[in-house]
Amino acid sequence: MEKNDIYIIHGTNYKEMTLRLLTEAGLADQIGDRGKRVALKPNVLGTMRPEEGATTHPELVCGAIEYLQAHGFRNLSIMESSWVGERTSRSFAALGYDRISEQYGVPLIDLQKDEGVSCDAKGMKLTVCRKALEADFLINMPVVKGHCQTVVTCALKNNKGLIPNAEKRRFHTLGLHKPIAHLSAAVRNDFILADNICGDLDFEEGGNPVPMNRIWAARDPVLCDALVCDCLGISVDEVSYIRIAEKLGTGCADTSKANLIFLNESADWEFTPITGSRNSAPLPRRVQKLAGYTDPKDACSACYGSLIHALNRLSEAGKLRAGLPPVCIGQGFQGRSGEIGIGKCTSCFAKSLHGCPPKAIDIVKFLEENWTQAPDKEIKNS
Ligand code: SF4
């Protein structure tokens, strides 16, 4: 796997998807020596369930462990330090990590109980947990989601779970962006297994999950986070820590240089448009409100989720209003004509954005330029 490769898989059997993704990405060869200490770092910031859009789905952790053990790696651990105000042990227990640890014989490391080590992170003194520094290979397992302070959160910010609580508090006094970027120079950035299953629209703690049903594998955390921006409809320039990390030499923030490798054909993709998650839970009110501007017919979740994120951006910019024609999306529109649509399935429409699925950032631009009220509606609304 090259540094600019990003492997992407869609579906709803998350453990099987993880196994396939890691196999295709050749993770075992990247780690090398079977005796290495391999640490898994999921996002277990609190007790919030993955279905709420906050924490890493444990199936990804199970899949990664099964893959690694099948390839002869025995020196594994799961490490995390939950956010300030929550005990990691409580989060681990609430999300079933105690059972995973017992089932696979992989220890849980509560980094809130670890000691901090002072490091020079490219000109910034930072304190990092000792056990995180002692790992020979770190598999970062963040959730792709929005964040109320840093706009997005994924690989780079997930590293904040590798520092002591006192240092997390200090990060906030330093404005988050600069220390998060410098932290990337102090910790390992070996491999990223990103949970893009149903991350939140814009809050770290979840509550407005948007089903996407995807998992990514990447090696470059900066490129990974830049792709998150594209997928959430946000300009990379809005997320300072990505640009700072790029300047520090952690990675590349130019997604045009990313080599995206899709592991399934669109025809295999799952249809989970309105009811969203695999347990058919109704979408939260805010997501439903955005969905009110759409007309989905058999839309793949990644396509529909991208549209929801794009609509959220337009909503924040005050560009959603009554009278706009519904945006059509989904395989049910193949070969049909219509006013405005998203994705190659709507290519026969008067206005259609190509892509399969298109990125949210492109959907935002397309809708800004093409989504207008019908003249009679404009008169009625004025
Ligand atoms: S355009 Fe969208 S709905 Fe159509 S096949 Fe591609 S991802 Fe699925």
Side-chain angles (χ1 to χ4, degrees), residues 303-318:
C303 209
Y304 195 65
S306 300
L307 175 57
I308 293 293
H309 280 293
L311 291 171
N312 191 40
R313 300 282 88 79
L314 294 172
S315 172
E316 286 169 349

Side-chain angles (χ1 to χ4, degrees), residues 190-203:
D190 296 306
F191 191 88
I192 300 129
L193 180 60
D195 178 334
N196 185 209
I197 293 168
C198 61
D200 197 84
L201 267 182
D202 43 24
F203 285 105

Side-chain angles (χ1 to χ4, degrees), residues 13 21 53 59 122 140 153 200 213 215-218 252 254-255 260 263 272 282 289 292 338 340 345 352 356 361:
N13 187 335
L21 191 67
E59 294 97 319
K122 292 242 166 111
N140 186 350
T153 169
D200 197 84
N213 287 322
I215 306 174
W216 311 350
C252 165
D254 181 356
T255 52
L260 304 183
L263 296 186
T272 51
K289 205 169 163 202
I340 185 161
C345 292
S352 170
C356 181
I361 194 134

Side-chain angles (χ1 to χ4, degrees), residues 151-219:
V151 191
V152 302
T153 169
C154 191
L156 292 164
K157 193 175 166 298
N158 196 38
N159 286 334
K160 204 159 150 270
L162 301 174
I163 60 176
N165 276 354
E167 188 68 335
K168 288 181 204 151
R169 290 192 199 95
R170 195 173 75 92
F171 268 40
H172 282 270
T173 67
L174 296 170
L176 283 177
H177 287 275
K178 189 173 173 199
I180 287 171
H182 278 262
L183 181 59
S184 69
V187 299
R188 304 199 64 89
N189 294 291
D190 296 306
F191 191 88
I192 300 129
L193 180 60
D195 178 334
N196 185 209
I197 293 168
C198 61
D200 197 84
L201 267 182
D202 43 24
F203 285 105
E204 184 177 26
E205 63 267 46
N208 290 295
V210 180
M212 300 284 273
N213 287 322
R214 292 195 294 207
I215 306 174
W216 311 350
R219 284 184 54 205

Side-chain angles (χ1 to χ4, degrees), residues 48-280:
M48 304 76 116
R49 290 177 302 116
E51 290 81 3
E52 295 173 63
T55 49
T56 305
H57 285 72
E59 294 97 319
L60 272 62
V61 177
C62 295
I65 293 172
E66 287 185 19
Y67 170 88
L68 291 165
Q69 291 184 337
H71 284 79
F73 295 96
R74 294 284 173 263
N75 204 345
L76 309 178
S77 64
I78 302 167
M79 59 175 61
E80 171 64 310
S81 165
S82 292
W83 64 1
V84 175
E86 183 56 87
R87 280 183 292 122
T88 314
S89 53
R90 217 174 80 95
S91 307
F92 274 150
L95 298 176
Y97 281 83
D98 291 352
R99 285 194 304 280
I100 293 172
S101 171
E102 198 178 314
Q103 179 185 349
Y104 294 104
V106 174
L108 300 175
I109 298 179
D110 177 353
L111 293 176
Q112 284 177 336
K113 295 180 178 157
D114 196 18
E115 66 172 323
V117 177
S118 180
C119 303
D120 176 22
K122 292 242 166 111
M124 196 172 194
K125 278 263 181 271
L126 298 178
T127 305
V128 180
C129 295
R130 180 176 292 284
K131 289 204 166 65
L133 294 173
E134 286 174 351
D136 298 314
F137 194 96
L138 196 130
I139 301 177
N140 186 350
M141 303 178 66
V143 177
V144 176
K145 57 186 169 176
H147 190 278
C148 59
Q149 292 176 75
T150 58
V151 191
V152 302
T153 169
C154 191
L156 292 164
K157 193 175 166 298
N158 196 38
N159 286 334
K160 204 159 150 270
L162 301 174
I163 60 176
N165 276 354
E167 188 68 335
K168 288 181 204 151
R169 290 192 199 95
R170 195 173 75 92
F171 268 40
H172 282 270
T173 67
L174 296 170
L176 283 177
H177 287 275
K178 189 173 173 199
I180 287 171
H182 278 262
L183 181 59
S184 69
V187 299
R188 304 199 64 89
N189 294 291
D190 296 306
F191 191 88
I192 300 129
L193 180 60
D195 178 334
N196 185 209
I197 293 168
C198 61
D200 197 84
L201 267 182
D202 43 24
F203 285 105
E204 184 177 26
E205 63 267 46
N208 290 295
V210 180
M212 300 284 273
N213 287 322
R214 292 195 294 207
I215 306 174
W216 311 350
R219 284 184 54 205
D220 180 339
V222 178
L223 195 61
C224 175
D225 284 11
L227 184 64
V228 170
C229 290
D230 282 3
C231 292
L232 269 56
I234 290 161
S235 162
V236 175
D237 292 325
E238 285 183 56
V239 190
S240 309
Y241 70 78
I242 298 178
R243 286 291 181 212
I244 304 170
E246 183 180 42
K247 282 197 190 103
L248 292 172
T250 303
C252 165
D254 181 356
T255 52
S256 70
K257 299 204 169 96
N259 180 30
L260 304 183
I261 300 158
F262 293 93
L263 296 186
N264 27 15
E265 297 298 321
S266 59
D268 299 337
W269 294 6
E270 302 281 339
F271 300 141
T272 51
I274 288 289
T275 51
S277 67
R278 61 190 163 169
N279 58 11
S280 295

